[in-house]
Amino acid sequence: INSSLPIGAGISSSSALISGLASSLIEINNLEINTISNFIYGNCGIPDCTDPSAINFNPSATQNNGSCIYPLWTQDINIPNGWSIFSTYIQSDNMNFQANFYHKEEIIMIKNYLGHVYLSEWNYNGIGDIKFNEGYQIKTNQACSIIFEGEYIDPEENTINLVEGWNIISYIRLNPAPANMVFQNLVEEGNLVIAKDGTGAAFLPDWNFNGIGNLEAGQGDQLKTNYSDILIYLSNNDQY
């Protein structure tokens, strides 16, 4: 035993050693945590839902991974007796005509802009699926209502594709807007010949005559164009 060592020197050395080992272990653990974190997230940050309008929005997320879940919307559309035009701003998992209309005894026929038909009496679906960017002519034997439930389609993010000639378009905004204002770009381009609503009322751009009035959600309109084009609606926060 080295009697020249001061009393407690061995204890201090042991404490320093233990303290040093503890610090090293903490550094190693932090390194492992950071390594694991970098392995999971990489340079892309935290993947999750970044859309504030979604019900599972994560404010800490830095990368949208497509996991957003949106609240369901319900649209109740009143259909008059006889011929009219309807459209919807809803998109659901099943937009098939048979799935949505097989139980509606009031409906006689539905047609798209190509003349393809859905015949309820025969359960014949020559159209396929209901599309949010199209309108449909419908004939009923009495007034009824159609209810759609699903995701709301934002108007400013979804275009209405127009073909040369006759089209039947949807109106996917929530708020009504004057037909002449909605179609202003088409008129300025010289591309709109005539527009008609489900009652036959017309907007005649050459005469600056708006017999339609307002376009309204749930309804659709016929448009005749000189060439193929696109129509983009303003958002619900903007006004025409």
Side-chain angles (χ1 to χ4, degrees):
I1 301 173
N2 189 348
S3 58
S4 63
L5 290 174
I7 298 175
I11 296 175
S12 299
S13 299
S14 299
S15 298
L17 177 61
I18 293 171
S19 177
L21 288 172
S23 298
S24 298
L25 289 173
I26 291 173
E27 290 178 0
I28 291 172
N29 286 336
N30 288 338
L31 177 62
E32 289 178 348
I33 291 172
N34 290 334
T35 301
I36 293 172
S37 177
N38 288 334
F39 175 75
I40 295 174
Y41 301 125
N43 295 324
C44 298
I46 302 174
D48 206 345
C49 177
T50 60
D51 189 345
S53 65
I55 59 178
N56 62 331
F57 167 61
N58 182 357
S60 300
T62 58
Q63 179 190 14
N64 197 326
N65 63 356
S67 64
C68 294
I69 301 173
Y70 297 93
L72 293 180
W73 284 66
T74 299
Q75 184 181 22
D76 191 344
I77 304 173
N78 294 320
I79 306 295
N81 184 29
W83 281 103
S84 61
I85 301 176
F86 81 92
S87 68
T88 181
Y89 49 59
I90 295 294
Q91 180 69 39
S92 69
D93 293 335
N94 190 356
M95 297 299 289
N96 183 272
F97 269 92
Q98 287 169 313
N100 285 274
F101 293 109
Y102 74 94
H103 58 291
K104 303 296 292 184
E105 297 180 355
E106 303 93 341
I107 296 175
I108 300 173
M109 175 190 300
I110 300 175
K111 294 197 302 180
N112 67 3
Y113 76 100
L114 293 172
H116 299 161
V117 299
Y118 167 74
L119 301 172
S120 59
E121 184 179 358
W122 300 93
N123 197 27
Y124 171 76
N125 182 12
I127 302 176
D129 290 346
I130 305 164
K131 298 179 180 179
F132 66 83
N133 56 1
E134 294 184 10
Y136 300 91
Q137 291 179 307
I138 181 171
K139 185 178 183 180
T140 62
N141 53 32
Q142 64 182 52
C144 62
S145 65
I146 304 172
I147 299 175
F148 293 100
E149 185 177 80
E151 180 184 345
Y152 175 66
I153 299 299
D154 291 317
E156 71 276 16
E157 296 179 0
N158 295 276
T159 60
I160 307 298
N161 298 316
L162 303 174
V163 300
E164 178 183 347
W166 282 103
N167 302 262
I168 306 179
I169 68 167
S170 60
Y171 184 69
I172 54 179
R173 298 181 78 244
L174 298 176
N175 305 316
N180 58 308
M181 299 298 293
V182 174
F183 301 139
Q184 184 175 356
N185 288 342
L186 297 176
V187 174
E188 292 176 352
E189 295 170 355
N191 193 21
L192 182 62
V193 179
I194 188 175
K196 296 195 298 181
D197 67 11
T199 68
F203 166 56
L204 304 172
D206 287 347
W207 299 91
N208 195 27
F209 173 75
N210 181 14
I212 295 177
N214 287 336
L215 304 187
E216 297 188 16
Q219 299 181 5
D221 297 271
Q222 290 180 292
L223 269 63
K224 186 177 183 182
T225 58
N226 291 313
Y227 52 86
S228 59
D229 206 339
I230 61 172
L231 174 65
I232 302 177
Y233 293 118
L234 294 181
S235 73
N236 292 308
N237 296 325
D238 298 320
Q239 293 183 349
Y240 284 97

